[in-house]
Amino acid sequence: MSPACGCDLAEGGFFVRQGEYICTQDYQRLYGTRCFSCDRFIEGEVVSALGKTYHPDCFVCAVCR
């Protein structure tokens, strides 16, 4: 089974959600978590505070950074 975008799952990796194979790029676009500060997708470690999610490097003081 191939994804709707037609990319090669064997080459780029994939996720399985509800029995469907989804390439990494589409999975992030559809279900990924974005950093509240920089708006890029978060992979790996996250910092969660007050209902928002950040990259560890983006979670800094708003005044002095």
Side-chain angles (χ1 to χ4, degrees), residues 6-31:
C7 70
D8 183 355
L9 294 178
E11 189 173 307
F14 63 93
F15 292 84
V16 178
R17 184 175 171 108
Q18 298 176 344
E20 292 187 333
Y21 299 98
I22 304 172
C23 70
T24 301
Q25 186 174 358
D26 282 339
Y27 187 87
Q28 283 186 333
R29 183 177 54 81
L30 295 169
Y31 308 111

Side-chain angles (χ1 to χ4, degrees), residues 7-64:
C7 70
D8 183 355
L9 294 178
E11 189 173 307
F14 63 93
F15 292 84
V16 178
R17 184 175 171 108
Q18 298 176 344
E20 292 187 333
Y21 299 98
I22 304 172
C23 70
T24 301
Q25 186 174 358
D26 282 339
Y27 187 87
Q28 283 186 333
R29 183 177 54 81
L30 295 169
Y31 308 111
T33 301
R34 289 186 178 267
C35 175
F36 183 76
S37 180
C38 71
D39 200 40
R40 289 180 291 143
F41 288 109
I42 300 174
E43 296 179 25
E45 277 189 63
V46 301
V47 175
S48 295
L50 301 173
K52 295 177 176 68
T53 307
Y54 303 85
H55 291 104
D57 291 342
C58 293
F59 188 63
V60 296
C61 175
V63 176
C64 67

